[in-house]
Amino acid sequence: MGIELTALHWIYLLFIGLTILLMILRRDITIICITGVLLLAFTATGSLAPSISAIFTSFIYAISELLSIILVISIITSMSRILMATGINDMMISPFAKIIKTPALAFWTIGIVMMVISWFFWPSPAVALMGAVLLPVALRVGLPALGAAIAMNLFGHGIALSGDFIIQAAPKLSGDAAGLAASEVIAASIPLIIIMGVVTTVTAFIFLKRDMKKGKLYSTKEFASEGVMKETEKSELSPPVKRFFAAIIPILFAANIGMMFTLNLQGGEATALIGGTSVLILIFTSIAAHKRQALEKTTKLLIEGLQFGFRVFGPVIPIAAFFYLGGGGFEQMIGSPLPEGSEGIINDLGTALAAVVPVTKSVGALTITAVGVITGLDGSGFSGLPLTGSIAALFGKAIGSGTASLTALGQITTIWVGGGTIVPWALIPAAAICNVDPFELARRNLVPVIIGLAVTTIAALFFI
């Protein structure tokens, strides 16, 4: 089953281990990832010049993969700055402030709303909407920005994306590989997703409250708009104009949701709609606030937003470049194909693991979870689903039952890891919109997600 592992696979596995170790030690992993790209390229090509060139090429590939996210985060930041500078933001969030009065309520409200929107449109556009509407009020009531990012991440990229009940891209990929209908995978996944979601989010919330009480995480109540006001010249609008914009902006975003639903816009298309709407809001708000200086002020705000976006994403680009090598980007980055029969370094490693373990219910569940974790490391979340689905089918046939539950378990594991909640290069949207370190967010999510996966894997044994 699969191909024989080569030096490329072992080098990649070694650098994954080094990366995880350094992350645990809270050390930077950029140089390690660049070295990994260089060594993989040299092993594949046997020539120094193309190997050195592969470093730069890998950066270009990573930027191209991340560019739409970088842009929408930058544009949302630009828009948010002028809304805060003009006071529109305060007026816009005042209705939510009447409902969300505590950090706990802010955490669960952000999470649940994020989950519902993500079911229909996937998490990236949902993150943008949360950043524009609910994040400011959450900060005002004292929820740390990191807490808001955790809620967005676990409910959106975790619960909603791993189930994918509405769009059904994930269960279709998994089901096709396992020989099951998407509906069968969805039915089997519901109890496991509930278990995973409840265990992970409750654990994360308990840890968050503990650290807030100990003073490890400060309340952002006093600093909700301080950073913006330092960098953006304060502008004033008359109360009627503020009320107009405070009313029309949520209406525009609600209209975006309506268009996504009626036009069946998902993923990148939905994100683009949010981004374009945010640009128009920025322009018209700037015209109202700055009059004849609107041309220059709008450009300045866009530049500031782009500077913020690339400052946040910059450290992650070389890291993402290395991990994209494990998925479908190897040939584009290095210019040399993988060994014949390879389905990608990550998928080859997962297949090799599944081929050397004995066949029992418990081993089957543990293997599916391990393969899901491994294939999720490329930061995609979806690329490993055909593999986990096919392995689930093999174990299901050997055991005589449980194919659907094993497939659902593989889907949940792969997406929670790679979709992502603990892979830093996959959870950047939530980290960026909340202006927190993606590596710190990943560390915060790590223990709750591991606990959730352990409990869910054990629970899956009762459904196999």
Side-chain angles (χ1 to χ4, degrees), residues 359-385:
V359 180
T360 64
K361 284 186 178 182
S362 57
V363 172
L366 287 171
T367 302
I368 288 291
T369 299
V371 170
V373 169
I374 291 172
T375 55
L377 289 173
D378 69 349
S380 164
F382 279 66
S383 64
L385 296 182

Side-chain angles (χ1 to χ4, degrees), residues 424-448:
W425 42 98
L427 47 72
I428 295 175
I433 206 73
C434 296
N435 197 15
V436 299
D437 181 4
F439 297 97
E440 179 61 26
L441 176 56
R443 282 190 286 266
R444 284 274 167 181
N445 288 344
L446 182 61
V447 174

Side-chain angles (χ1 to χ4, degrees), residues 129-429:
L129 287 169
M130 292 296 98
V133 180
L134 288 185
L135 177 60
V137 70
L139 299 181
R140 293 290 175 87
V141 300
L143 181 67
L146 191 59
I150 291 169
M152 290 183 193
N153 212 217
L154 297 184
F155 281 89
H157 292 84
I159 297 173
L161 194 60
S162 67
D164 197 11
F165 301 134
I166 307 299
I167 300 171
Q168 299 188 9
K172 186 177 189 311
L173 279 171
S174 299
D176 286 350
L180 301 170
S183 58
E184 293 179 85
V185 179
I186 290 172
S189 70
I190 289 174
L192 298 180
I193 288 170
I194 292 173
I195 293 168
M196 180 70 189
V198 169
V199 171
T200 305
T201 56
V202 170
T203 303
F205 180 72
I206 291 171
F207 287 168
L208 179 67
K209 291 288 288 183
R210 179 200 65 186
D211 289 342
M212 288 176 67
K213 287 181 180 179
K214 289 183 177 180
K216 292 183 180 180
L217 285 175
Y218 63 82
S219 164
T220 50
K221 186 174 182 178
E222 301 88 350
F223 309 105
S225 62
E226 183 178 331
V228 173
M229 295 306 295
K230 283 180 179 178
E231 297 185 36
T232 305
E233 182 182 347
K234 188 172 178 62
S235 304
E236 289 294 337
L237 290 174
S238 65
V241 175
K242 286 183 185 179
R243 283 194 290 271
F244 170 76
F245 279 105
I248 199 66
I249 290 170
I251 291 172
L252 288 174
F253 283 126
N256 278 183
I257 294 176
M259 283 187 280
M260 291 176 199
F261 188 77
T262 56
L263 301 177
N264 196 29
L265 302 180
Q266 301 161 359
E269 291 178 328
T271 302
L273 181 62
I274 295 291
T277 301
S278 300
V279 171
L280 292 177
I281 291 170
L282 168 63
I283 292 171
F284 287 114
T285 307
S286 183
I287 291 171
H290 299 296
K291 309 295 189 299
R292 286 180 294 180
Q293 294 181 321
L295 296 175
E296 291 75 18
K297 294 293 185 181
T298 302
T299 300
K300 180 182 177 183
L301 286 165
L302 282 171
I303 291 171
E304 289 176 356
L306 287 167
Q307 287 173 334
F308 170 81
F310 278 93
R311 185 170 69 248
V312 170
F313 281 81
V316 184
I317 287 169
I319 299 166
F322 170 75
F323 282 89
Y324 282 140
L325 281 173
F330 189 93
E331 188 169 350
Q332 292 94 317
M333 286 187 260
I334 292 180
S336 176
L338 286 165
E340 186 178 352
S342 173
E343 297 180 354
I345 295 176
I346 285 286
N347 283 349
D348 292 344
L349 290 170
T351 302
L353 172 65
V356 296
V357 297
V359 180
T360 64
K361 284 186 178 182
S362 57
V363 172
L366 287 171
T367 302
I368 288 291
T369 299
V371 170
V373 169
I374 291 172
T375 55
L377 289 173
D378 69 349
S380 164
F382 279 66
S383 64
L385 296 182
L387 176 62
T388 56
S390 61
I391 293 173
L394 290 174
F395 274 104
K397 290 174 184 176
I399 297 168
S401 64
T403 300
S405 294
L406 286 170
T407 303
L409 178 63
Q411 176 177 301
I412 291 167
T413 305
T414 304
I415 291 179
W416 272 84
V417 173
T421 60
I422 59 176
V423 175
W425 42 98
L427 47 72
I428 295 175

